[in-house]
């Protein structure tokens, strides 16, 4: 007989097995914290018109140029798996006429995103983001509020001492001016630039600033600074953001080289990176995008937002705080109900239902054909401290037996009181 092929998950895409509870906790924390700031959840489709990202994120960006999962549907329309969430939210803002809602509109979202990147630790082809967007206020106080919210979320997840890298990429005029200056500065040093940077010198010189090549980094030490060419409006915007963040005790550092990899950014940009994840890995990033809605054919409406890489966030948390649960969550350990004998399964189900009705997590071992010893072993393997036993004697006497694995003791209790007794024992 032919051996049937077994399947594995697609390269760069993974099952969340051990991590899923931590993901759920992080998501719950995001929902709770973001709601406190007046944000509400939206869900956009996983597939969008390819052109949305070409125009929104930028043709010259790495994401659009190299990393999109694009395909033609049966009618020949070019569609793409979403590589990020801001352009889709901007599309939804226009599609649902959110400009007619009270401004600014505040939304958050979470879910899977797709980029065809070279997989490595913390870099996947399907990854998860939790993002938030504030659309309809030019800032700078909205910038501060958004960052304060983000840090509150990180704190509630359990992080301490994460530092935000902050910069301003200015308005399009400032950037054009700066690109010219940077090009002038780099031209005489073409020989020291790698192929990527040479290409960027033509398409988008700004992106050369976040090069990882040591020689290029050295060369950039002497380059003009973006903030030196900011117009006065962008400059004072940035000053207020910095001043107010300091007032709210936000730990930030101005990072002159921070430009971000998506083309829609204007003025405030930020990232949190962690060296423990590897030299170049940001756990989150964001910024202002005052021209995006107009670029997508809408009115001129400013926006700001961020996206957290959930996979990286969870793995960084585990790395920094081994053994600790995100958000300090301590899920209730289940009480195990073991019917002693096949004919007592019905009672087992009734008892577990009664526990659950009282909010107590319960698992019933229906496989009662096994000897009791096996049932108890199974309960132990599940990590249950408390086991409720019910068999012939208990049914006849209207009782149940409650066994405490930790102390090796057991007691017989009245069936009609057992839920209260279990509740008292497990919370003691
Ligand atoms: P981004 O910097 O491209 O920004 O992605 C945000 C975060 O997603 C990154 O900091 C990283 O943690 C995570 N991430 C990106 N690619 C991968 C990957 N291949 N594997 C694992 N994690 C990854 C955006 O997407 C913008 N939409 C953020 C934003 C919202 N700006 C304004 N509003």
């Amino acid at each position: 007989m032919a051996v049937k092929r077994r399947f594995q998950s697609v390269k760069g895409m993974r099952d969340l097995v051990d991590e899923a509870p931590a993901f759920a906790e992080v998501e719950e924390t995001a929902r709770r914290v973001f709601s406190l700031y007046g944000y509400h959840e939206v869900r956009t489709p996983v597939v969008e018109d390819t052109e949305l990202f070409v125009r929104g994120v930028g043709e010259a960006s790495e994401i659009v140029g190299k990393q999109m999962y694009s395909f033609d549907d049966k009618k020949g329309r070019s569609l793409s798996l979403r590589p990020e969430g801001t352009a889709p939210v901007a599309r939804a803002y226009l599609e649902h006429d959110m400009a007619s809602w009270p401004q600014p509109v505040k939304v958050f979202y979470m879910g899977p995103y797709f980029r065809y990147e070279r997989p490595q630790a913390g870099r996947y082809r399907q990854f998860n983001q939790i993002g938030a967007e504030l659309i309809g206020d030019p800032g700078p106080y909205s910038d501060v509020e958004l960052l304060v919210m983000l840090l509150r979320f990180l704190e509630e997840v359990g992080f301490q001492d994460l530092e935000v890298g902050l910069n301003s990429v200015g308005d399009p005029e400032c950037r054009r001016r700066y690109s010219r200056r940077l090009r002038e500065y780099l031209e005489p040093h073409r020989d020291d630039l790698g192929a990527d940077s040479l290409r960027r010198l033509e398409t988008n010189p700004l992106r050369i600033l976040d090069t990882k090549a040591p020689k290029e980094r050295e060369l950039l030490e002497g380059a003009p600074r973006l903030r030196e060419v900011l117009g006065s409006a962008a400059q004072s915007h940035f000053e207020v953001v910095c001043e107010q963040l300091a007032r709210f005790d936000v730990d930030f550092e101005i990072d002159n080289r921070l430009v971000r990899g998506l083309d829609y950014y204007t003025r405030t940009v930020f990232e949190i990176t962690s060296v423990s994840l590897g030299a170049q890995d940001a756990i989150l990033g964001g910024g202002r995008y005052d021209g995006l809605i107009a670029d997508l054919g809408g009115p001129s409406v400013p926006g700001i937002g961020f996206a957290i890489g959930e996979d990286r966030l969870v793995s960084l948390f585990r790395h920094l705080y081994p053994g600790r649960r995100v958000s300090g969550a301590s899920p209730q350990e289940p009480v195990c109900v073991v019917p002693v004998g096949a004919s007592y399964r019905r009672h087992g189900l009734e008892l577990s239902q009664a526990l659950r009705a009282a909010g107590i997590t319960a698992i019933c071992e229906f496989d009662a054909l096994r000897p009791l010893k096996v049932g108890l072993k199974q309960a132990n393997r599940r990590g249950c401290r408390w086991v409720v036993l019910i068999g012939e004697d208990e049914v006849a006497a209207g009782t149940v037996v409650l066994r405490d694995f930790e102390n090796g003791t057991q007691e017989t209790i009245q069936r009609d009181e057992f839920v209260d007794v279990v509740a008292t024992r497990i919370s003691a």
Side-chain angles (χ1 to χ4, degrees), residues 84 86 115 117 122 124 129 133 260 264-265 282-283 305-306 309:
E84 65 99 50
T86 309
R115 294 183 194 176
E117 294 194 76
Y124 305 98
Q129 282 190 346
E133 312 291 349
R260 309 271 302 131
Y264 47 61
Y265 290 111
I283 61 164
F306 61 78

Side-chain angles (χ1 to χ4, degrees), residues 41-168:
E41 188 166 1
V42 292
R43 302 184 191 200
T44 62
V46 168
V47 172
E48 297 273 358
D49 194 324
T50 299
E51 191 63 23
L52 172 67
F53 300 111
V54 173
R55 260 208 276 149
V57 178
E59 200 152 19
S61 70
E62 211 105 312
I63 295 177
V64 170
K66 295 188 186 159
Q67 301 173 348
M68 285 228 285
Y69 278 93
S70 300
F71 57 95
D72 286 349
D73 74 359
K74 290 185 194 301
K75 282 264 168 70
R77 289 174 284 238
S78 178
L79 304 178
S80 293
L81 297 184
R82 59 184 184 187
E84 65 99 50
T86 309
V89 166
R91 176 200 49 70
Y93 178 91
L94 292 172
E95 190 165 333
H96 299 278
D97 192 24
M98 294 187 201
S100 67
W101 298 8
Q103 301 295 300
V105 169
K106 297 173 170 183
V107 296
F108 69 92
Y109 50 87
M110 49 190 76
Y113 293 81
F114 304 85
R115 294 183 194 176
Y116 195 87
E117 294 194 76
R118 198 163 49 79
Q120 60 186 65
R123 179 171 299 153
Y124 305 98
R125 289 180 175 173
Q126 174 175 332
F127 57 97
N128 295 276
Q129 282 190 346
I130 300 178
E133 312 291 349
L134 183 153
I135 305 179
D137 185 82
Y141 287 90
S142 284
D143 308 27
V144 176
E145 192 194 56
L146 181 99
L147 277 159
V148 167
M149 173 177 88
L150 175 58
L151 282 147
R152 164 96 182 253
F153 160 78
L154 293 169
E155 214 172 276
E156 298 219 0
V157 167
F159 285 101
Q160 288 147 6
D161 309 324
L162 287 179
E163 192 183 75
V164 183
L166 188 72
N167 198 15
S168 173

Side-chain angles (χ1 to χ4, degrees), residues 363-379:
I363 292 172
C364 187
E365 297 290 351
F366 286 117
D367 199 359
L369 298 175
R370 294 176 308 210
L372 174 62
K373 225 168 76 188
V374 178
L376 290 178
K377 212 165 161 191
Q378 180 85 343

